[in-house]
């Protein structure tokens, strides 16, 4: 993922959207919300649809007590809304929630920051590391406030625990 995404950095577009092959954008006119959001918030470097305000010490963002965002998941032949809403945040004027990490199913950027292909060669932790790389460059990472989910993620039913743990250990060694 990281090495493939680094190839996109050669493209001169200011705005880039990185998404999994199993992510479907269902929000009509999503770019009409996304681009003005970036233009009105020059500090916002990267935006996702789901993630965490704080990443726990184990590096697993979804085990945070501060998960935010929403997505429709398709898993085990079932569609399910995965939503981490906060009533307080729904009343704020800001159109995004500041986050420490976003999930790689959907990542949009307005600046180019190199992906850590030297550390991550698979499908795990390239997204959390990229979130932290944006923060290291002085940019905010955010999660879009969505009235309705922007995406469906067809997650699949297979999970490679061994590859995940290898990437997690690399993440911990380099970011914690």
């Amino acid at each position: 993922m990281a090495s493939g995404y680094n190839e996109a950095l050669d493209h001169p577009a200011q705005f880039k959207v990185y998404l999994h092959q199993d992510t479907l954008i269902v929000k009509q006119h999503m770019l009409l919300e996304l681009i003005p959001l970036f233009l009105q918030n020059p500090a916002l470097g990267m935006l996702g649809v789901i993630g965490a305000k704080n990443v726990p010490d184990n590096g697993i963002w979804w085990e945070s007590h501060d998960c935010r965002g929403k997505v429709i998941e398709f898993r085990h032949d079932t569609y399910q809304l995965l939503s981490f809403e906060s009533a307080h945040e729904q009343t704020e004027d800001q159109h995004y929630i500041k986050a420490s990490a976003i999930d790689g199913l959907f990542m949009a950027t307005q600046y180019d920051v190199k992906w850590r292909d030297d550390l991550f060669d698979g499908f795990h932790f390239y997204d959390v590391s990229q979130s932290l790389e944006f923060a290291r460059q002085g940019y905010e990472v955010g999660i879009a406030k969505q009235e309705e989910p922007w995406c469906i993620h067809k997650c699949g039913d297979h999970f490679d625990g061994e590859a995940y743990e290898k990437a997690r250990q690399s993440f911990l060694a380099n970011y914690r």
Side-chain angles (χ1 to χ4, degrees):
M1 297 292 279
S3 64
Y5 286 174
N6 273 332
E7 291 185 28
L9 299 181
D10 293 335
H11 196 282
Q14 177 180 351
F15 307 106
K16 295 178 177 74
V17 176
Y18 304 88
L19 44 90
H20 290 180
Q21 78 284 355
D22 56 3
T23 296
L24 306 170
I25 297 173
V26 294
K27 169 70 173 166
Q28 287 189 357
H29 312 295
M30 184 255 323
L31 292 177
L32 296 178
E33 288 186 37
L34 181 66
I35 292 173
L37 182 61
F38 277 134
L39 293 175
Q40 294 167 12
N41 298 282
L44 179 62
M46 187 165 66
L47 187 78
V49 295
I50 199 159
K53 291 179 79 168
N54 296 294
V55 178
D57 289 339
N58 66 6
I60 304 171
W61 74 260
W62 64 79
E63 291 186 2
S64 172
H65 297 291
D66 294 320
C67 293
R68 296 292 186 271
K70 61 176 76 169
V71 65
I72 298 169
E73 283 191 332
F74 182 77
R75 187 185 307 259
H76 306 296
D77 296 323
T78 304
Y79 290 96
Q80 175 180 327
L81 175 64
L82 180 60
S83 179
F84 300 103
E85 293 294 313
S86 166
H88 170 72
E89 287 164 343
Q90 289 177 351
T91 61
E92 293 177 3
D93 288 336
Q94 195 89 348
H95 294 286
Y96 68 94
I97 302 156
K98 291 181 186 175
S100 293
I102 59 175
D103 188 273
L105 75 99
F106 177 98
M107 304 173 90
T109 65
Q110 71 169 322
Y111 303 110
D112 290 335
V113 173
K114 187 177 183 322
W115 297 77
R116 294 300 305 268
D117 59 5
D118 59 324
L119 298 177
F120 304 100
D121 61 359
F123 298 102
H124 306 293
F125 283 92
Y126 69 91
D127 48 2
V128 182
S129 73
Q130 187 68 353
S131 299
L132 297 178
E133 291 296 325
F134 264 81
R136 284 181 176 177
Q137 296 294 317
Y139 299 118
E140 289 180 357
V141 174
I143 300 165
K145 288 190 179 176
Q146 308 156 73
E147 287 184 32
E148 299 295 327
W150 288 8
C151 300
I152 294 174
H153 186 211
K154 295 186 171 187
C155 305
D157 298 330
H158 174 72
F159 180 74
D160 185 345
E162 185 176 321
Y164 182 85
E165 184 58 22
K166 178 183 174 209
R168 189 177 80 83
Q169 291 303 321
S170 180
F171 175 81
L172 294 174
N174 287 279
Y175 290 95
R176 291 291 186 214

